[in-house]
Structure formats: structure tokens, C-alpha cells
Amino acid sequence: PVRGRAVGDSDCIFCKIINREIPSDIVYEDDDVLVFPDINPVAPVHLLIITRKHIPSLSVMDEEDTPLIGKMAKIANRLAREKGLDSGYRVTINSGPDGGQLVPHLHMHLLGGRKLRWEN
């Protein structure tokens, strides 16, 4: 079920996914977040946990939005258990171009299903 439209940028690909303008395999959604598989996965499990509200990045997040990060982490933990990632997983938030953020919309990556290592 569609819970609501994105609050934000009409040109943002993630807002378009939230608004069902671009199809995606929605794994989880509630009034604050939406979860779907990354289109370019780097691990057997690679989910994106995005805020329904358009927040360009972690670095510009308002203080009132701080609880969203905790909620996103809680959802990541729940999905990791559901996906059988008992031996471990990684949760990351990239912020800004030099931090590896490709889409300017706050999102968290849940990675697992293989032994992960740091690339650099």
C-alpha cells in the first residue's frame, strides 16, 4: 500500500520511487522510511533505507530529523535478521560527493551476505 508521497524534490530519483513514479521492489515502508534493493548491489544483500522526507544529506539534516537515523538503524537491524545476516552486516551513510553519496537524498545502505572488507 502507498503510505504517502515524498516531501521534497521533484527531480530526485528517490522521491520519484517514493511517489511510485519509478517502479521498485519495496521491501518495507512506513510513514517515515522506505526500503528497496540497490540497483547496483555490491553484496548479496544490498538494501537502501531512505527517508520519505527529502533531506539532501546527513550533513544538512535538521535537528528535528535526528530521530530518523535511529529509526533507520532499527529497521536495518530488523531486515538484517529477516535476511539471515546472522554472521554480520554493514550499515553505512555516505554524505556528500567525497563521501561517496551518489543520490542527494538521505539514505542508509544495508550490506551483507558475504564477508565484507574496506576498499580504501
Side-chain angles (χ1 to χ4, degrees):
V2 177
R3 291 191 176 253
R5 296 184 60 77
V7 177
D9 187 346
S10 62
D11 291 329
C12 173
I13 190 167
F14 288 173
C15 288
K16 288 180 179 184
I17 290 171
I18 291 166
N19 292 335
R20 305 305 203 267
E21 296 168 29
I22 296 175
S24 186
D25 180 20
I26 307 300
V27 175
Y28 173 88
E29 72 177 308
D30 65 24
D31 292 336
D32 300 312
V33 302
L34 192 87
V35 182
F36 53 90
D38 193 297
I39 195 166
N40 295 309
V42 298
V45 174
H46 188 167
L47 299 176
L48 297 178
I49 303 164
I50 69 171
T51 56
R52 199 172 280 282
K53 177 181 178 183
H54 182 83
I55 302 168
S57 74
L58 185 65
S59 64
V60 298
M61 184 178 74
D62 292 331
E63 189 168 331
E64 69 189 34
D65 297 319
T66 302
L68 281 172
I69 300 300
K71 183 171 188 176
M72 293 166 76
K74 184 177 179 179
I75 291 166
N77 188 45
R78 182 178 130 204
L79 290 169
R81 282 193 312 272
E82 289 177 5
K83 298 288 184 184
L85 305 179
D86 301 327
S87 62
Y89 57 92
R90 179 177 297 157
V91 174
T92 61
I93 298 174
N94 301 326
S95 186
D98 287 351
Q101 183 180 7
L102 300 178
V103 177
H105 185 120
L106 181 61
H107 60 284
M108 181 179 282
H109 296 259
L110 169 61
L111 304 162
R114 67 169 172 82
K115 187 165 179 69
L116 300 169
R117 61 184 182 89
W118 290 107
E119 299 303 318
N120 52 14

